[in-house]
């Protein structure tokens, strides 16, 4: 586990962008695992800027997003993670949309319990070379809430009250926030060859400390599933 401290989200995100750009240069067919939420917005801004400066192409890049909401109201479709990715990254780079993947289409009405096919597709693509991760105040990663199994695969998740509350800032009313999502599992994420976890702001302190101090998996803190990953870089502005 490598911990890189920066004074600000801007500086930390710039470093994360540099890592991704360097890896893209050496592997134009890189498989990226992508996250949504407020954390990676600045990272995506830098990836766009830095790749344009260097005239880099994403034509052969493959991406897998961590998660997607289930049961969005039609009027809230702009809250889907697909919409987020289009508007924060994809429309500014030359990635082939056919190479971008989400665990479900947010308009899907037929929802299943398990989405093993997403794990299989990741495997068939050669596995995720770099996974970008945020972290929830309660230690969730993607939508793996406390109680998630360390070996879990992509599946339907019932969101906790605290996550629904945290996400309500993007919706008109808390009752509009979806109660479910489909998310890569902790086991899916742990198979990524390299993980960059971004944690900015004091609200993330406890979750981050739980991960850094973990000697084993604590089911109450899903982030601790990464405790023995062999290529985890944490980028943070939290002084530990
Ligand atoms: P945030 O969410 O980036 O909006 O803080 C992170 C997360 O919940 O994983």
């Amino acid at each position: 586990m490598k911990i890189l401290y920066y004074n600000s989200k801007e500086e930390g995100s710039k470093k994360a962008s540099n890592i991704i750009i360097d890896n893209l240069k050496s592997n134009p067919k890189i498989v990226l695992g992508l996250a949504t939420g407020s954390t990676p917005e600045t990272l995506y801004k830098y990836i766009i800027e830095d790749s344009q400066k260097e005239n880099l192409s994403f034509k052969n890049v493959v991406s897998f997003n961590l998660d997607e909401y289930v049961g969005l109201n039609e009027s809230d479709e702009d809250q889907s993670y697909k919409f987020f990715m289009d508007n924060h990254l994809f429309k500014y780079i030359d990635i082939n949309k056919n190479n971008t993947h989400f665990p479900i289409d947010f308009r899907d009405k037929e929802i299943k319990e398990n989405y093993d096919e997403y794990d299989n597709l990741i495997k068939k693509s050669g596995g995720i070379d770099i996974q970008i991760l945020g972290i929830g105040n309660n230690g969730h990663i993607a939508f793996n809430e406390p109680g998630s199994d360390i070996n879990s695969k992509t599946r339907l998740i019932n969101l906790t009250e605290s996550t629904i509350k945290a996400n309500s800032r993007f919706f008109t009313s808390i009752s509009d926030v979806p109660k479910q999502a489909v998310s890569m599992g902790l086991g899916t994420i742990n198979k990524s060859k390299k993980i960059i976890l971004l944690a900015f702001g004091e609200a993330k302190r406890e979750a981050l400390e739980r991960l850094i101090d973990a000697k084993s998996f604590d089911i109450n803190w899903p982030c601790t599933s990464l405790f023995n990953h062999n290529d985890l870089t944490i980028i943070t502005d939290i002084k530990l």
Side-chain angles (χ1 to χ4, degrees):
M1 183 185 301
K2 206 196 280 178
I3 304 169
L4 304 178
Y5 172 80
Y6 288 88
N7 277 319
S8 65
K9 179 179 180 179
E10 287 282 328
E11 287 177 32
S13 301
K14 177 75 182 166
K15 171 66 184 176
S17 172
N18 289 346
I19 296 173
I20 289 165
I21 294 289
D22 284 348
N23 278 274
L24 171 63
K25 280 186 198 161
S26 57
N27 177 12
K29 295 183 175 173
I30 195 166
V31 179
L32 295 175
L34 299 175
T36 51
S38 50
T39 301
E41 282 181 14
T42 314
L43 165 63
Y44 295 146
K45 182 189 83 176
Y46 282 123
I47 290 179
I48 295 162
E49 270 180 33
D50 296 347
S51 63
Q52 281 173 353
K53 259 185 234 151
E54 303 205 37
N55 222 357
L56 291 175
S57 174
F58 287 78
K59 222 170 43 216
N60 296 310
V61 170
V62 175
S63 75
F64 288 92
N65 263 80
L66 284 169
D67 44 18
E68 181 60 283
Y69 280 130
V70 168
L72 275 169
N73 295 332
E74 258 176 52
S75 56
D76 287 324
E77 288 192 349
D78 56 355
Q79 294 302 332
S80 72
Y81 290 161
K82 184 171 189 304
F83 187 93
F84 177 102
M85 290 312 305
D86 283 343
N87 286 285
H88 286 90
L89 185 62
F90 295 161
K91 76 176 183 192
Y92 300 105
I93 59 177
D94 65 347
I95 197 163
N96 178 347
K97 281 294 190 66
N98 295 329
N99 292 342
T100 66
H101 305 93
F102 292 80
I104 52 153
D105 182 319
F106 67 91
R107 292 192 181 92
D108 274 0
K109 290 281 175 274
E110 271 173 50
I111 303 302
K112 307 183 292 180
E113 288 295 321
N114 293 302
Y115 289 81
D116 287 10
E117 63 270 26
Y118 200 57
D119 295 65
N120 294 338
L121 192 59
I122 293 171
K123 197 170 167 197
K124 234 177 88 189
S125 307
I128 290 173
D129 293 305
I130 304 184
Q131 175 67 58
I132 308 296
L133 281 185
I135 187 168
N137 301 357
N138 67 352
H140 72 212
I141 50 175
F143 274 127
N144 295 284
E145 300 284 9
S148 298
D149 190 285
I150 189 165
N151 296 315
S152 49
K153 294 182 176 179
T154 306
R155 69 208 186 287
L156 182 66
I157 309 258
N158 293 315
L159 307 186
T160 61
E161 280 309 313
S162 82
T163 297
I164 292 170
K165 205 166 149 216
N167 291 354
S168 68
R169 67 190 192 279
F170 301 113
F171 292 82
T172 317
S173 136
I174 193 160
S175 61
D176 295 331
V177 185
K179 310 281 182 290
Q180 292 183 310
V182 175
S183 174
M184 279 189 204
L186 295 177
T188 319
I189 293 168
N190 236 324
K191 287 200 178 80
S192 309
K193 294 168 205 166
K194 180 179 190 64
I195 296 179
I196 300 175
L197 185 144
L198 304 169
F200 301 119
E202 278 300 312
K204 309 287 171 77
R205 176 181 289 279
E206 183 173 9
L208 193 61
E209 287 179 346
R210 294 272 179 176
L211 164 57
I212 290 168
D213 295 341
K215 301 272 179 290
S216 61
F217 175 58
D218 177 348
I219 196 161
N220 297 313
W221 291 90
C223 53
T224 60
S225 61
L226 304 173
F227 81 99
N228 64 354
H229 192 279
N230 62 16
D231 190 352
L232 169 63
T233 300
I234 295 171
I235 297 182
T236 186
D237 65 351
I238 303 168
K239 278 211 169 91
L240 298 157

